[in-house]
Amino acid sequence: MSDTPVASCCSMPAQTSVSADGRTDLLAASGERVVCPVMGGSVVPAQAEAAGLFRDYEGARYYFCCAGCAPRFDADPERYAVAA
């Protein structure tokens, strides 16, 4: 993560700067990884759970690479569950 102006991985509006202070970089961690069903990023399930970046749908748990993916999943879970 850097302090340079960027948009999020989920095409959320860009901010003037992004600070890594106090944030966990879910893509840099080691351990078991799964794929975010919305954006296709690699996610460490334990860290996604700790950050609240998951949803349970029809008996399966789906993990997200960023906070912008959960609302997209909620809007059309069948679309993303099929893709996963």
Side-chain angles (χ1 to χ4, degrees):
M1 293 186 171
S2 69
D3 290 331
T4 58
V6 295
S8 80
C9 66
C10 297
S11 300
M12 301 300 284
Q15 300 175 352
T16 56
S17 69
V18 176
S19 173
D21 296 339
R23 298 183 187 165
T24 301
D25 183 352
L26 297 178
L27 300 178
S30 62
E32 176 193 357
R33 294 178 181 270
V34 297
V35 175
C36 171
V38 178
M39 295 300 294
S42 178
V43 180
V44 176
Q47 290 186 341
E49 282 190 23
L53 299 175
F54 68 93
R55 293 289 189 272
D56 293 322
Y57 178 72
E58 293 189 350
R61 180 157 284 185
Y62 298 90
Y63 301 96
F64 308 114
C65 60
C66 68
C69 290
R72 288 182 182 192
F73 183 89
D74 292 341
D76 193 0
E78 287 183 27
R79 172 184 175 190
Y80 296 111
V82 170

